[in-house]
Amino acid sequence: MKVVVDLSRCVGYAQCAFLAPETFRMHGEEALMYAPNPDDAQRDQVLRAAAACPVQAILVDRLEGRDAPAEASPT
Ligand code: SF4
């Protein structure tokens, strides 16, 4: 899976590092380090971290864009 953090939005609340410590880690007080390609086994934790981020700075699997499988359309 792919993870991108918009570091211009990130305000260092560390919710993600608390919920998915294998993917997100605080470096010092405010700098966030993260693994851009965490193992799929981390998916649940990463999704929880993304949902918990107060500024929605964590994007999951967005890079695949056009190649991503289409989601069920609401028909
Ligand atoms: S939860 Fe969001 S704002 Fe907080 S450190 Fe993680 S990415 Fe940054």
Side-chain angles (χ1 to χ4, degrees):
M1 66 185 295
K2 292 202 168 94
V3 173
V4 175
V5 177
D6 182 346
L7 294 173
S8 67
R9 282 185 170 206
C10 172
V11 287
Y13 285 145
Q15 295 290 340
C16 54
F18 178 71
L19 291 166
E22 292 184 42
T23 304
F24 305 99
R25 192 164 298 169
M26 297 310 292
H27 187 72
E29 294 267 313
E30 290 183 358
L32 177 71
M33 318 260 303
Y34 67 99
N37 296 296
D39 194 276
D40 272 349
Q42 300 295 316
R43 177 172 289 275
D44 285 353
Q45 287 187 354
V46 169
L47 291 177
R48 245 175 262 147
C53 176
V55 292
Q56 284 89 50
I58 302 172
L59 307 177
V60 179
D61 287 345
R62 296 281 174 81
L63 289 182
E64 277 143 46
R66 286 163 289 166
D67 299 332
E71 304 212 347
S73 56
T75 50

